[in-house]
Short mmCIF file of all heavy atoms in Angstrom, two decimals:
data_model
loop_
_atom_site.label_atom_id
_atom_site.label_comp_id
_atom_site.label_asym_id
_atom_site.label_seq_id
_atom_site.Cartn_x
_atom_site.Cartn_y
_atom_site.Cartn_z
N HIS A 219 5.20 -0.96 0.89
CA HIS A 219 4.82 -1.26 2.28
C HIS A 219 5.70 -2.38 2.81
O HIS A 219 6.52 -2.96 2.08
CB HIS A 219 3.34 -1.67 2.34
CG HIS A 219 3.03 -2.94 1.59
ND1 HIS A 219 2.95 -4.16 2.21
CD2 HIS A 219 2.81 -3.17 0.27
CE1 HIS A 219 2.67 -5.09 1.31
NE2 HIS A 219 2.59 -4.51 0.12
N ALA A 220 5.54 -2.65 4.08
CA ALA A 220 6.37 -3.64 4.75
C ALA A 220 5.56 -4.89 5.04
O ALA A 220 4.34 -4.87 5.13
CB ALA A 220 6.94 -3.09 6.06
N THR A 221 6.26 -5.99 5.14
CA THR A 221 5.64 -7.22 5.64
C THR A 221 6.46 -7.72 6.83
O THR A 221 7.68 -7.88 6.71
CB THR A 221 5.57 -8.30 4.54
OG1 THR A 221 5.08 -9.52 5.12
CG2 THR A 221 6.91 -8.55 3.90
N PRO A 222 5.86 -7.89 8.00
CA PRO A 222 4.44 -7.67 8.30
C PRO A 222 4.08 -6.19 8.29
O PRO A 222 4.95 -5.33 8.42
CB PRO A 222 4.29 -8.28 9.70
CG PRO A 222 5.65 -8.14 10.31
CD PRO A 222 6.63 -8.35 9.18
N GLU A 223 2.80 -5.90 8.13
CA GLU A 223 2.35 -4.52 7.95
C GLU A 223 2.67 -3.65 9.16
O GLU A 223 2.99 -2.46 9.01
CB GLU A 223 0.84 -4.51 7.67
CG GLU A 223 0.29 -3.14 7.35
CD GLU A 223 -1.17 -3.19 6.94
OE1 GLU A 223 -1.64 -4.28 6.57
OE2 GLU A 223 -1.85 -2.14 7.00
N LEU A 224 2.63 -4.22 10.37
CA LEU A 224 2.89 -3.44 11.57
C LEU A 224 4.34 -2.97 11.67
O LEU A 224 4.64 -2.05 12.44
CB LEU A 224 2.52 -4.25 12.82
CG LEU A 224 1.03 -4.58 13.00
CD1 LEU A 224 0.82 -5.44 14.24
CD2 LEU A 224 0.21 -3.30 13.10
N ALA A 225 5.24 -3.56 10.89
CA ALA A 225 6.65 -3.17 10.96
C ALA A 225 6.90 -1.80 10.36
O ALA A 225 7.96 -1.22 10.58
CB ALA A 225 7.51 -4.22 10.25
N TRP A 226 5.94 -1.27 9.58
CA TRP A 226 6.16 0.03 8.93
C TRP A 226 6.37 1.15 9.95
O TRP A 226 7.07 2.12 9.67
CB TRP A 226 5.00 0.35 8.00
CG TRP A 226 5.21 1.59 7.19
CD1 TRP A 226 4.73 2.84 7.44
CD2 TRP A 226 6.03 1.71 6.01
NE1 TRP A 226 5.16 3.73 6.49
CE2 TRP A 226 5.96 3.06 5.60
CE3 TRP A 226 6.79 0.82 5.28
CZ2 TRP A 226 6.63 3.53 4.48
CZ3 TRP A 226 7.45 1.28 4.17
CH2 TRP A 226 7.37 2.61 3.78
N LYS A 227 5.77 1.04 11.12
CA LYS A 227 5.93 2.09 12.13
C LYS A 227 7.36 2.18 12.63
O LYS A 227 7.74 3.19 13.24
CB LYS A 227 4.97 1.85 13.30
CG LYS A 227 5.25 0.57 14.08
CD LYS A 227 4.26 0.38 15.21
CE LYS A 227 4.56 -0.90 15.99
NZ LYS A 227 3.59 -1.11 17.09
N ASN A 228 8.18 1.13 12.39
CA ASN A 228 9.58 1.15 12.82
C ASN A 228 10.52 1.67 11.74
O ASN A 228 11.73 1.63 11.91
CB ASN A 228 10.01 -0.27 13.22
CG ASN A 228 9.23 -0.81 14.41
OD1 ASN A 228 8.87 -0.05 15.31
ND2 ASN A 228 8.95 -2.09 14.41
N LEU A 229 9.96 2.15 10.61
CA LEU A 229 10.81 2.68 9.54
C LEU A 229 11.47 3.97 9.99
O LEU A 229 10.83 4.89 10.47
CB LEU A 229 9.96 2.92 8.29
CG LEU A 229 10.72 3.48 7.09
CD1 LEU A 229 11.61 2.42 6.48
CD2 LEU A 229 9.74 4.03 6.05
N LYS A 230 12.80 4.05 9.83
CA LYS A 230 13.55 5.26 10.18
C LYS A 230 13.77 6.17 8.98
O LYS A 230 13.72 7.40 9.11
CB LYS A 230 14.89 4.87 10.80
CG LYS A 230 14.77 4.08 12.10
CD LYS A 230 16.11 4.01 12.82
CE LYS A 230 17.14 3.27 12.02
NZ LYS A 230 18.43 3.12 12.73
N SER A 231 14.02 5.60 7.82
CA SER A 231 14.23 6.42 6.63
C SER A 231 13.99 5.57 5.40
O SER A 231 14.11 4.34 5.43
CB SER A 231 15.64 7.00 6.59
OG SER A 231 16.60 5.98 6.43
#
Side-chain angles (χ1 to χ4, degrees):
H219 64 97
T221 174
E223 185 174 341
L224 294 178
W226 186 261
K227 64 181 181 180
N228 297 325
L229 180 72
K230 297 193 297 183
S231 67

